[in-house]
């Protein structure tokens, strides 16, 4: 065993290295998905986080060029029980180890991931050092104490200039504010007949409204939503002037723009198996999730936002709506790929809001 995890509570986990052979300080989190490791490691929402996969075998179908959610790997590290570097899949072009090495992401396998996941559940997400096995506990704890986790993740993940994703015979034009957006969101809008203009997170409301969008989308992304004040101010200016739809971080940013509050969860929600109830219909959806923060339900009073969805595991807020402004958001990922397809109707709901908003203008 040549690699080690040192957590800030003083616990250590020995394992074997794969991917990049470098040290890293990250926030350690876990994901309960049984498939989709490529989409997970390429999801910008995992920026600066070391992901522990609870499913024991990872890498067995390799990496496929068409399945990335982002061109860059921003995750801090990957921890698995067993890594398979001899994939069986006619589509694969690289192994998981090769991908992590190319992306300069350290990986550790051979770790008791069952014990580690229980630790995160019991104690919560916290800082971890991925390092060589000969690093002493005292050295590791000193490094963790001196290293502050960054707060500029959205600035690093967002696109640097405007770009377009067009589809044939488009019906509507959507402006998407990129806070670290997954590509399958863009694909889903294209499948629903929408051209998408993707803009950097710090694009002003005047610039966005000048594009005359039929609707504005706010994407998922990493980190604390309160760190992204630029987007919050932009949404304050846009709401009521165009329909809004937010996913994950976008959901939290919409809540903050209306005056609500957010808080950090003990260990977050990550995986493709979270039951969420749509309060309006009574239906329960199995959802894909990836977030550390949640909206404080008590803070919604007087904001004009109404809870539309709740998580049946811990009763946290999973959806918000403001019918008057044609604004709604969800904490989970309706575009999940791979993952449950229960929630793709939300893209249809956004289009229906656009139709109703346009009808009000005449």
């Amino acid at each position: 065993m040549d690699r080690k995890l040192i957590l800030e509570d003083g616990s250590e986990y020995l394992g074997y290295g794969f991917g990049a052979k470098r040290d890293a300080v990250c926030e350690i989190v876990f994901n309960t998905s049984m498939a989709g490791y490529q989409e997970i490691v390429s999801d910008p929402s995992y920026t600066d986080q070391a992901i522990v996969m609870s499913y024991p075998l990872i890498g067995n179908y390799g990496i496929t060029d068409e399945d990335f959610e982002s061109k860059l790997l921003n995750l801090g590290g990957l921890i698995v029980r067993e890594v398979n570097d001899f994939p069986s899949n006619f589509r694969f072009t690289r192994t998981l180890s090769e991908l992590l090495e190319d992306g300069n992401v350290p990986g550790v396998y051979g770790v008791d991931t069952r014990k580690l996941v229980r630790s995160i559940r019991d104690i919560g997400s916290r800082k971890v050092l991925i390092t060589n096995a000969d690093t002493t506990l005292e050295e590791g704890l000193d490094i963790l104490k001196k290293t502050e986790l960054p707060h500029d993740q959205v600035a690093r993940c967002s696109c640097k200039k405007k770009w377009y994703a067009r589809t044939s015979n488009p019906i509507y034009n959507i402006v998407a504010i990129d806070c670290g957006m997954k590509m399958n969101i863009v694909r889903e809008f294209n499948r629903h007949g929408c051209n998408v203009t993707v803009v950097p997170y710090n694009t002003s409301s005047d610039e966005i409204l000048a594009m005359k969008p039929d609707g504005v989308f706010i994407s998922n992304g990493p980190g604390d939503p309160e760190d992204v004040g630029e987007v919050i101010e932009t949404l304050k200016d846009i709401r009521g002037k165009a329909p809004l739809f937010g996913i994950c971080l976008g959901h939290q940013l919409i809540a903050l723009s209306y005056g609500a509050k957010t808080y950090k969860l003990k260990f977050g929600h990550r995986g493709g198996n979270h039951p969420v109830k749509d309060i309006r219909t009574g239906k329960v959806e199995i959802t894909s999730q990836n977030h550390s923060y949640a909206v404080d339900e008590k803070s919604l009073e007087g904001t004009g936002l109404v809870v539309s969805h709740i998580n049946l595991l811990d009763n946290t807020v999973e959806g918000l709506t403001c019918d008057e402004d044609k604004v709604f958001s969800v904490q989970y990922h309706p575009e999940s790929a791979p993952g449950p397809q229960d929630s793709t109707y939300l893209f249809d709901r956004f289009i229906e809001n656009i139709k109703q908003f346009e009808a009000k203008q005449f």
Side-chain angles (χ1 to χ4, degrees):
M1 293 185 171
D2 60 337
R3 299 290 277 171
K4 179 192 285 189
L5 308 175
I6 299 177
L7 281 68
E8 59 182 335
D9 66 321
S11 56
E12 297 178 284
Y13 295 81
L14 281 168
Y16 305 93
F18 72 109
K21 300 297 191 292
R22 68 173 182 89
D23 288 7
V25 175
C26 323
E27 179 188 25
I28 193 166
V29 300
F30 67 86
N31 187 296
T32 58
S33 300
M34 297 175 67
Y37 54 81
Q38 178 175 346
E39 290 86 347
I40 290 166
V41 300
S42 61
D43 182 348
S45 294
Y46 284 110
T47 298
D48 299 330
Q49 293 180 330
I51 310 166
V52 182
M53 300 299 296
S54 66
Y55 189 73
L57 177 61
I58 302 297
N60 50 306
Y61 54 84
I63 298 297
T64 305
D65 291 341
E66 294 85 5
D67 293 345
F68 285 101
E69 290 293 343
S70 172
K71 295 177 181 178
L72 299 175
L73 299 189
N74 292 310
L75 76 161
L78 184 66
I79 298 119
V80 303
R81 176 61 184 171
E82 181 181 351
V83 64
N84 183 338
D85 249 4
F86 300 94
S88 177
N89 178 7
F90 72 96
R91 295 176 67 229
F92 100 92
T93 55
R94 277 187 286 178
T95 68
L96 179 59
S97 293
E98 290 168 345
L99 176 67
L100 296 187
E101 188 173 359
D102 291 344
N104 199 30
V105 176
V108 182
Y109 74 94
V111 171
D112 185 348
T113 51
R114 293 175 300 177
K115 180 180 178 182
L116 185 51
V117 167
R118 289 192 190 102
S119 169
I120 298 169
R121 277 196 180 278
D122 293 342
I123 301 175
S125 301
R126 51 206 189 276
K127 284 192 287 188
V128 61
L129 171 66
I130 302 174
T131 186
N132 291 325
D134 57 5
T135 301
T136 67
L137 178 60
E138 292 74 18
E139 291 171 338
L141 291 176
D142 185 58
I143 292 170
L144 288 170
K145 185 178 180 180
K146 292 178 178 177
T147 305
E148 290 293 328
L149 294 176
H151 291 268
D152 63 342
Q153 292 98 328
V154 168
R156 285 185 279 131
C157 289
S158 179
C159 60
K160 303 304 182 241
K161 63 179 182 178
K162 177 171 59 178
W163 60 277
Y164 304 93
R166 299 183 176 92
T167 188
S168 57
N169 301 314
I171 306 170
Y172 296 109
N173 293 301
I174 305 299
V175 169
I177 301 175
D178 180 9
C179 298
M181 185 163 52
K182 294 173 65 181
M183 282 303 302
N184 206 51
I185 293 173
V186 177
R187 299 184 196 111
E188 199 63 49
F189 274 124
N190 287 163
R191 280 193 285 267
H192 279 77
C194 298
N195 280 343
V196 182
T197 302
V198 182
V199 299
Y201 78 102
N202 55 357
T203 304
S204 70
S205 57
D206 288 342
E207 291 178 80
I208 292 172
L209 292 173
M211 299 176 199
K212 301 189 183 303
D214 296 305
V216 177
F217 171 77
I218 310 94
S219 83
N220 64 292
D224 185 341
E226 294 187 5
D227 291 337
V228 202
E230 301 95 329
V231 180
I232 296 169
E233 293 304 315
T234 296
L235 296 179
K236 287 179 181 179
D237 293 339
I238 292 177
R239 71 185 194 212
K241 299 174 183 176
L244 297 179
F245 175 26
I247 288 176
C248 199
L249 180 66
H251 157 82
Q252 299 157 13
L253 292 171
I254 285 175
L256 290 171
S257 75
Y258 274 83
K261 302 294 183 184
T262 58
Y263 64 96
K264 189 168 186 179
L265 296 165
K266 184 177 181 181
F267 49 79
H269 298 157
R270 294 175 183 86
N273 48 8
H274 288 253
V276 169
K277 183 177 181 179
D278 186 331
I279 294 174
R280 292 186 172 185
T281 65
K283 292 183 178 180
V284 176
E285 307 159 29
I286 301 302
T287 68
S288 177
Q289 308 220 1
N290 175 17
H291 60 101
S292 295
Y293 291 81
V295 173
D296 182 358
E297 185 172 2
K298 294 179 181 178
S299 72
L300 292 170
E301 187 175 349
T303 63
L305 293 172
V306 176
V307 177
S308 60
H309 296 73
I310 58 169
N311 189 307
L312 295 182
L313 297 179
D314 59 8
N315 292 317
T316 52
V317 175
E318 290 281 352
L320 297 168
T321 185
C322 177
D323 289 339
E324 181 181 353
D325 292 340
K326 297 303 174 189
V327 172
F328 78 100
S329 61
V330 289
Q331 182 63 82
Y332 53 95
H333 284 266
E335 86 297 337
S336 55
Q341 303 297 308
D342 300 23
S343 310
T344 53
Y345 72 90
L346 291 167
F347 290 90
D348 296 315
R349 180 178 292 182
F350 185 41
I351 290 172
E352 184 59 34
N353 275 356
I354 291 173
K355 293 177 181 177
Q356 293 177 10
F357 186 87
E358 286 182 344
K360 276 198 332 184
Q361 307 308 305
F362 297 100

